[in-house]
Structures are given as C-alpha cells and as structure tokens.
Amino acid sequence: MFDRRDLSSSVGAVRDDYAPDALVFDCERDFETVPPAAAEDLGFVVDALDPATFPSDWLPPDGPALLERYAGDDFTIGMPGDGSVVWTRQTEPPVVLVKPRVRGSPASFVDFLLAEAFVELSMDVPEHFLGFFEEGYRDLDRAVGLGPAGTYQVAAALYDGWLGLRTGTEFADWHDSHPELGSAWQDAGDRLTGRVDDLPGAVARGSTSFPDATELACSAIKHAIELPAPFDALDTAAYRDHGPAYAIRWAEKTFEALAE
C-alpha cells in the first residue's frame, strides 16, 4: 500500500525547513479514507500510532457516517475533500501520503502540493475541519441548512480557506527562497483566477452550486487571488484571527441573504 517517495531537491529543502521528520509515501490505490487495515500497516514503518478521537456531541444528528467514524475510535487517515496529498500527525513521525491520481499532473504542481503539506505540518493546526469547528460544527450545520453532504463540503472549504490565510504568507516568500515552488504556486493561482472571477455569475445561473463555489473560492485564498462577494469577507485578518466563530457568523449572514 505504501512506498517511500523520492523528493525533488526543492521539495526536500522545504521538508528540511518545515517538517524534517515527516515521511512521504506513494499509495498503491486512490482513497478518500485509507481502509483501517491498510492504515494500521503504517505501524510497520513509523515509531508509534496515536489515533485521533473527538466527542460525539460535536456532530449533528444526521452527520455523514464517515465523519462519525472519523470522530470515533477507528484509525482514520484521509477524508473526503482532502485532495491528492494527505498528511497526518496520528503517526510518529508524521506521514504524508500521495494518491495515485497525481499521475499525469505537472511535476511542479505535485511538488507544490507536497511542499504545502510540509508547511501545514509545521503549524499548530487541526488535521481536519472537525478539530477546527469542534462543537461549533452543529452551529454551522444549522446555519448552512444544506443537509449532511452540503454542510460537510462547506465546512471543509471554510477550513481550507482559514489554512490558506496562514500558509499563503509563506508561499508568497518562496519566489526568493524556493523559486521553483514559488513559480508553481503562482501558476496554480493564475489557473484559478478566471474561474473565481465568474463565481457570482455561475451561482446565479445555477451552473455552480454554492458549496462548490465556496470550495473554489476558499482554495484560492492561499494563492492571494482577489475574491468576489460574499467570499471576500473570508480573505481577511478577522477570519485568520477568529477562525470558527467568524466562519459560522459568515455562514449565518450569507445563507440568510441567499434565502431572501
């Protein structure tokens, strides 16, 4: 299931700077969540396993079954919305997993995703949005009112945006310290710009759902792309500083406006 991945010199330098102990593996199969038996195989290549658990009362009564499993006792690595590169601190040392779906992607983009994982590992941030919202996830669920899947997608996007407010300042400095990765960060942002600019129109036309629009807008935050309303309120120091409380209030105001 797991094979050690060789890193380019630029990615190796970022790992040395941000997460020098992290182990990086290619995975044999794509996954949203690593099967429990396969996840436990990591015990053969790391020093220790420390599965995360969360209080059940953080979850709304109709939350997705996979989120309930993540909060429970199962050793759960990877969740829907995590992307092509997944990191975890539930192992010692921490681990970064690369999904096979990156095959065919530009090598520079994959390198950026790996470097991003090392930056996130270096920060005191939760591994998943449930550790970010905590009991506030129920409040977000009530504010969004889109059902279990819609709430999950919006929550994952909002957490990604909050992370981007922190990591983006690091990436912006890479043009000098890690120029190849700085260029990959810039290029990925350039590819998003046109899609982000058209988000209000796409939502109004019904060609993009609001959860999809939130996901795209929040993924753009780390690339320093100017966002249209109402997403521009998320690209702020207030969101960076106040985190989940700010996100929940944003959701309340935004979905109240959409209902009018």
Side-chain angles (χ1 to χ4, degrees), residues 5 8 11 26 84-85 98-99 101-117 181 184:
R5 183 182 181 92
S8 67
V11 174
D26 286 318
S84 300
V85 174
V98 184
K99 300 178 184 180
R101 72 187 197 191
V102 303
R103 293 169 188 156
S105 299
S108 60
F109 180 64
V110 178
D111 278 355
F112 169 71
L113 295 180
L114 285 164
E116 179 182 26
L181 296 170

Side-chain angles (χ1 to χ4, degrees), residues 152-243:
Y152 184 102
Q153 187 177 1
V154 170
L158 290 171
Y159 179 55
D160 187 45
W162 181 80
L163 270 181
L165 290 170
R166 285 166 154 66
T167 59
T169 57
E170 298 290 326
F171 305 149
D173 291 336
W174 283 1
H175 289 296
D176 295 325
S177 57
H178 304 288
E180 293 179 1
L181 296 170
S183 295
W185 168 75
Q186 184 70 54
D187 182 63
D190 291 344
R191 293 172 186 271
L192 287 175
T193 300
R195 297 171 62 197
V196 169
D197 290 343
D198 188 47
L199 276 180
V203 172
R205 294 190 301 269
S207 59
T208 297
S209 70
F210 196 84
D212 284 346
T214 306
E215 184 176 305
L216 180 60
C218 288
S219 70
I221 289 176
K222 63 174 169 279
H223 295 286
I225 296 172
E226 186 173 348
L227 302 181
F231 306 107
D232 55 344
L234 296 170
D235 190 8
T236 60
Y239 187 28
R240 185 189 62 230
D241 295 341
H242 298 286

Side-chain angles (χ1 to χ4, degrees), residues 49-75:
L49 304 178
D50 184 20
T53 60
F54 302 92
S56 60
D57 59 6
W58 287 4
L59 304 179
D62 61 347
L66 195 56
L67 190 58
E68 293 180 4
R69 195 175 97 186
Y70 176 76
D73 295 330
D74 287 349
F75 183 38

Side-chain angles (χ1 to χ4, degrees), residues 83-136:
S84 300
V85 174
V86 175
W87 57 264
T88 183
R89 292 197 205 91
Q90 297 179 76
T91 60
E92 185 181 334
V95 162
V96 177
L97 302 179
V98 184
K99 300 178 184 180
R101 72 187 197 191
V102 303
R103 293 169 188 156
S105 299
S108 60
F109 180 64
V110 178
D111 278 355
F112 169 71
L113 295 180
L114 285 164
E116 179 182 26
F118 298 138
V119 173
E120 291 178 355
L121 274 171
S122 75
M123 298 180 171
D124 185 20
V125 297
E127 191 167 313
H128 184 263
F129 73 70
L130 188 59
F132 173 67
F133 285 104
E134 298 183 343
E135 67 273 12

